[in-house]
Structures are given as structure tokens and as C-alpha cells.
Amino acid sequence: MVCLIANPATLPLTPAIVERARRALPENDIEWLAPEEAVEIGPLELEPATAQRLVRDALDAIPVDVCGLTFEGRRKSLLVADMDSTIITVECIDELADLRGIKQEIAAITRKTMNGELDFETSLQHRVALLEGLPVVELERVAENRTPLARGARTLVATMRKFGALTALVSGGFTFFTSRVRARAGFDLDEGNVLEVQGGRLTGKVLPPILGQTAKLETLRRLVREQDLLAEDVVAVGDGANDIDMLQAAGLGVAFHAHQKVRAAVPVRLDVADLTGVLYLQGYRRDEFDQG
Ligand SMILES: [Mg+2]
């Protein structure tokens, strides 16, 4: 099937757009998941990738997310979400760098790392070293004032929990932030790297073991084992190169407003929708949402 998701604030999904998409496909049914926002077309005989390409071509430059999906087993039992630039709108390390007046320098390295142009662990250690001496009270201020939740984050987590899913926030960033964002967004658990602190200040080191390039995939596999699930039962969402392995392993991997390298590697992507799009992709209707 194909799921179409718009952002009503910029361009609502109209019956005309949906009809244009439907005509690109063999005869099939339409079900609205949310007026002016999300619809699904199907089931289809076509492969999801083929259906997705046909509809994307038909809609041309219209800013609507077009996702080809399998019809069966769409509602997932485990959510694994990246934090920085996915569940929150910023990169925490860039915000910390701002306190040092080196935001541009660090943000450029972060961007390259998240596009897979630099080794994740080396880049992380390099950036954290530049934060040596930063007082922990300043981290607290960043956590409180400069890490806004992305639109739809609370609704995504609350709705999946309402329907019985386990929700995990898994980050290559820092537990200082994941623990706080976990509470604000309502996740069951969180995981991240631990910043070393001495005398109330950062030492510029990350405590081992460093969660590197493969950490998120390993966490996904561990949770699947512990919960007695299959990888097909997992929905994963993220934007960076270190998310690619987990996005490809999950039954539904969603590249969310992602870097180019991720967009090229992951077939299902949201460029227009907010995080509630991850619910529509699983077939949830808006009237089933829990706002959190
Ligand atoms: Mg990210």
C-alpha cells in the first residue's frame, strides 16, 4: 500500500491530490486516516517500492510524503527512536558548543558526521574534548531551555504506549540529555553516552564503553530478544548516518527529515510530516491518537 502524508499547516492533502495518486496505481481503495493530512491507498499487488515510485512521479513536486509499505503487520510493538534532530529539534552537542562560542565549528563536524562523512566515534571524542571544563550547571540550562521536543513527539510515544508498545530513546548523544528528554517525551527507557564529570565540570571525555556506529542496531537487537519479538515488530526512526543500520534492520525504518546519506539508504522517509507521520505509517487514525 501507499501512505500519503501532508503538513496541513503548509499544504493540506486534498481529494484532488489523492485522486492524482490513486490514478497512478491499479484500482484500489482509499482510506483517510486524518482529514487534510493522511490517507492510505491499497492493498496493492505491486511491490511497495514500485508503488512508491509511481505515486511520487505522479505527484511530482507536490510537498507530500509518499511511502510504499507492506499491508500486513503494520502496527509495531517496539519503537526505537533517535534523539537529536529527531525527537528534539536540535543537536545537544552543538548547543553546548554555543556556550563556548564554537557552535559553528562543532555544528559543521556534527553535520558531516551525521551524513556519514566522518567516523562517528572519533568525531564524538573530538567534539567532546572541545567542551572540557564546561560547568554541569550550564548543561542543565541547555537541557531546560534549548532542547525543544519536535512536533508530534509526545503524541507518537503516548499513542504507541497506549496500544501496548515499548518505547526506547536511543542516542549516540549523552545520557545527561536522554534521561531528561525521556521523561518529557514519555519514553519507557533511554540509552546514550556518559559524559565524564569531575568537580562539577566536564573533563572532555566520554566514559567507556562508547556507543558508536553499531550501538543502535545492537540495542534494537537486544530489545527484540528481551521482549521476545521479531525485527519485523519494530518501528525505528532517525535522521543520521549512525541510524542507518537500525533503520534497515527494523520492520519499519523511517528516515525522518534525514541527511542525504540516510535518505539514499532507507526507502521509507518523511520529509514533510511531523512525528505523528510515524503513526500514520502504521495505519493509526488521528482519532486514535493519545496527545501525551
Ligand atoms: Mg539524530
Side-chain angles (χ1 to χ4, degrees):
M1 68 170 19
V2 172
C3 191
L4 303 183
I5 310 170
N7 181 346
T10 50
L11 180 92
L13 194 58
T14 62
I17 296 172
V18 174
E19 180 55 22
R20 191 158 156 183
R22 198 193 61 75
R23 268 190 273 125
L25 297 166
E27 189 60 33
N28 46 61
D29 295 331
I30 288 171
E31 187 180 346
W32 285 87
L33 301 172
E36 301 198 327
E37 189 169 2
V39 82
E40 54 185 33
I41 308 174
L44 299 166
E45 298 281 318
L46 293 171
E47 283 295 311
T50 309
Q52 177 173 298
R53 183 169 42 76
L54 289 172
V55 174
R56 257 206 194 131
D57 288 351
L59 295 189
D60 198 15
I62 298 173
V64 170
D65 288 319
V66 177
C67 302
L69 304 160
T70 48
F71 186 68
E72 301 297 331
R74 294 177 59 207
R75 295 195 176 189
K76 305 303 185 188
S77 311
L78 172 61
L79 167 68
V80 184
D82 166 51
M83 180 175 72
D84 295 277
S85 300
T86 299
I87 294 296
I88 60 175
T89 61
V90 298
E91 298 282 336
C92 287
I93 198 161
D94 297 352
E95 299 307 308
L96 295 180
D98 199 22
L99 303 176
R100 274 284 157 91
I102 51 173
K103 183 172 184 176
Q104 283 195 336
E105 177 190 342
I106 289 213
I109 303 172
T110 303
R111 209 159 40 241
K112 279 189 174 175
T113 308
M114 288 307 147
N115 199 36
E117 297 164 47
L118 297 172
D119 174 70
F120 180 84
E121 286 180 52
T122 313
S123 160
L124 184 72
Q125 287 168 313
H126 172 63
R127 285 174 290 157
V128 171
L130 295 173
L131 301 175
E132 184 187 346
L134 209 60
V136 171
V137 288
E138 297 203 18
L139 271 70
E140 199 71 62
R141 273 207 294 279
V142 167
E144 273 175 31
N145 304 322
R146 296 174 64 162
T147 58
L149 292 178
R151 276 191 52 198
R154 288 182 61 87
T155 304
L156 169 61
V157 177
T159 303
M160 288 203 63
R161 293 191 69 193
K162 173 180 156 187
F163 285 88
L166 183 75
T167 56
L169 180 65
V170 177
S171 176
F174 312 114
T175 52
F176 189 91
F177 296 98
T178 60
S179 60
R180 288 159 174 82
V181 170
R182 164 193 178 173
R184 279 160 53 207
F187 284 91
D188 295 293
L189 51 102
D190 69 285
E191 191 173 276
N193 281 307
V194 183
L195 290 166
E196 188 181 58
V197 174
Q198 270 173 17
R201 289 174 181 270
L202 298 186
T203 65
K205 294 201 176 78
V206 181
L207 288 178
I210 295 178
L211 303 185
Q213 184 64 39
T214 60
K216 297 186 186 199
L217 175 61
E218 285 161 17
T219 299
L220 183 153
R221 286 186 175 146
R222 178 172 56 77
L223 291 172
V224 160
R225 253 193 335 268
E226 287 173 3
Q227 301 295 316
D228 202 17
L229 299 171
L230 300 169
E232 283 77 19
D233 303 322
V234 182
V235 54
V237 57
D239 73 300
N242 61 327
D243 296 316
I244 290 175
D245 290 347
M246 84 164 174
L247 295 178
Q248 290 179 336
L252 175 60
V254 184
F256 183 73
H257 298 258
H259 289 270
Q260 187 53 42
K261 180 162 183 194
V262 187
R263 294 155 57 92
V266 177
V268 176
R269 62 175 215 247
L270 297 176
D271 300 326
V272 173
D274 65 29
L275 283 167
T276 60
V278 179
L279 292 170
Y280 294 131
L281 293 177
Q282 296 176 78
Y284 287 105
R285 299 185 313 273
R286 191 196 282 167
D287 60 19
E288 295 178 289
F289 287 3
D290 184 325
Q291 304 300 330

